[in-house]
Amino acid sequence: MRYRVLGGTGIEVSAYCLGTMMFGAIGNPDHDDCARIIGAAIDRGVNFIDTADIYSAGESEEIVGRTLASRGDRDDIVLATKAHFPMGEGRNRGGNGRRWIVREVEESLRRLRTDRIDLYQIHRPDHTTDIEETLAVLGDLVRAGKILAFGCSTFPAEQIVDAHHLAERRALPRFRTEQPPYSLLARGVERDVLPVVQRLGMGALTWGPLAGGFLTGRYRKGAPVDLGRGRAALNPSRFDPALPGTAAKLEAVEALTALAEELGRTLPELATAFPQAHPAVTSVIIGPRTMEQLESALKAADLVLDDATLDRVDEIVPPGTDLYRADGAWQPPALTTPALRRRPEADRSAA
C-alpha cells in the first residue's frame, strides 16, 4: 500500500481510505461483519478510515469506535469523520455553526471511543452560516486538542478559495483537505476543484469511484433495470435506460468495460484505479458493504494506468465531463431556489 502526506499536515495516509457509509442500518447491519471488514482492510495496509455522524444516525461511528478499541490499534489509524447534516428532529441540530459543531464533535468522540479526531470535515456547505464562524470554531477545537486537522467535503471551488482567502485575512486555520466525488463518469472536479486543491496545497480524498453502481457492471446497455430496488428505487430517473442521460452513461460503461477487458482487469478495478492517476488525489475512498466488495476494491491496488490507457479513457469520457452526478453532491441555492434566479415579473422585459 502506498502512503501519502495529507494536505501538508505531516500525517501519512494510505492511498486507499476505508469509507464506512455502508456500515449500519442503511447498509450492513451486522456489526461483527463490519468489524471483520475493518480488520481486513487494516491488515492489508489501510491506515485511513472515514466515517460521518449521519451514517446510519451515528451507528457507523459506533461500529468503527468499538472495532478500533477491541483491536487496540487506534493510534495506528488516521480517523476522519464529518458533520453538517441534521441529526434528528428539531431546530439547530445540523449545519456549520459553532453551536452545532461544538456539540457534535463531543458526540462523535463518544461514539468513536477516542479522545481526538484526526481529520474533522464539514460535510457540505451551509449558506446560512458565515464561513468565518465555521473556521473559527474549528480552529478553537484544534487548539483544544479535540481535532487535529480539518477539511471540507463536496465544496465548490469558489467556496474553497473564499474560505482560504478569509483564513489568510483573519489569521484563522484553514481547510487542509477537500472530499469531492470523482470517477470515470464524474470528472467535473477536474475543471476546477482538483486544480484549486493542488494550488492551495490541500489533500483530496475522493469518493464514489463506482459512480453509484454504474461502474460495478451491474447496469449494462440493453439489460433490464429493476427501478423498484436499491439505488434505482431511490431515484429512478437516474437509472431509467429510456432517458438520454442514462443512455449516455450506459454507452460509456460499455466502452469502459471493453477497455478493462483489454487490460485483463474488471470494470470495478479500472474504476477504482482511475482516481489514483490524478496528481491532486491523496487517497481514494472505497466504501464496501461486504467482505467481497472490499476484496474487489483491493485488487485494484497494483493497477497502473499508463498514458495510452488514460488517453482511451479521455476519448470515452472527456476530461471535466460529468455523465453522472453523484448522490448527495451539493447544489448551490442559486440553482435550487427559483426566486434567486428570477427577477420579479414586472422587471423581466428589456423595455
Side-chain angles (χ1 to χ4, degrees), residues 225-278:
V225 177
D226 185 351
L227 298 178
R229 297 181 58 190
R231 288 179 181 268
L234 297 175
N235 199 335
S237 64
R238 299 168 69 95
F239 294 86
D240 187 348
L243 298 176
T246 304
K249 289 192 281 283
L250 295 176
E251 288 284 355
V253 166
E254 292 302 308
L256 292 167
T257 299
L259 176 58
E261 290 173 350
E262 290 178 25
L263 298 174
R265 310 299 287 251
T266 66
L267 177 59
E269 289 171 15
L270 172 64
T272 306
F274 172 73
Q276 295 282 358
H278 198 291

Side-chain angles (χ1 to χ4, degrees), residues 189-339:
V189 293
E190 294 174 340
R191 291 179 175 272
D192 44 27
V193 170
L194 293 180
V196 162
V197 164
Q198 281 184 284
R199 188 162 66 248
L200 298 180
M202 299 170 66
L205 325 173
T206 65
W207 58 273
L210 300 182
F214 274 99
L215 297 173
T216 63
R218 185 184 314 152
Y219 304 102
R220 299 293 298 270
K221 181 181 178 182
V225 177
D226 185 351
L227 298 178
R229 297 181 58 190
R231 288 179 181 268
L234 297 175
N235 199 335
S237 64
R238 299 168 69 95
F239 294 86
D240 187 348
L243 298 176
T246 304
K249 289 192 281 283
L250 295 176
E251 288 284 355
V253 166
E254 292 302 308
L256 292 167
T257 299
L259 176 58
E261 290 173 350
E262 290 178 25
L263 298 174
R265 310 299 287 251
T266 66
L267 177 59
E269 289 171 15
L270 172 64
T272 306
F274 172 73
Q276 295 282 358
H278 198 291
V281 174
T282 307
S283 188
V284 175
I285 298 173
I286 54 175
R289 180 176 55 83
T290 65
M291 186 68 76
E292 291 74 19
Q293 290 175 354
L294 174 67
E295 291 296 335
S296 175
L298 292 176
K299 286 180 181 177
D302 66 344
L303 178 53
V304 176
L305 303 182
D306 59 22
D307 288 343
T309 300
L310 293 173
D311 289 343
R312 292 277 300 281
V313 169
D314 290 348
E315 293 171 1
I316 298 167
V317 183
T321 300
D322 276 332
L323 294 182
Y324 173 83
R325 186 174 179 276
D327 290 332
W330 185 76
Q331 286 268 58
L335 296 181
T336 60
T337 307

Side-chain angles (χ1 to χ4, degrees), residues 28-41:
N28 186 344
D30 186 332
H31 288 204
D32 291 337
D33 192 38
C34 293
R36 285 189 289 270
I37 294 170
I38 294 171

Side-chain angles (χ1 to χ4, degrees), residues 6 11 48-53 61 68 74 77-83 101-122 138 141-142 144-151:
L6 183 65
I11 301 171
F48 196 12
I49 297 177
D50 177 76
T51 185
D53 58 0
E61 287 186 327
L68 295 182
R74 167 66 184 94
I77 301 302
V78 179
L79 188 54
T81 191
K82 302 182 283 293
I101 289 175
V102 167
R103 173 178 173 175
E104 200 55 16
V105 161
E106 295 296 340
E107 289 297 302
S108 288
L109 288 169
R110 176 184 59 81
R111 289 188 291 258
L112 290 166
R113 303 188 184 192
T114 187
D115 60 352
R116 83 282 183 194
I117 296 163
D118 299 303
L119 176 65
Y120 197 66
Q121 299 159 100
I122 302 302
L138 291 172
L141 289 167
V142 169
K146 306 273 187 185
I147 65 177
L148 302 188
F150 59 85

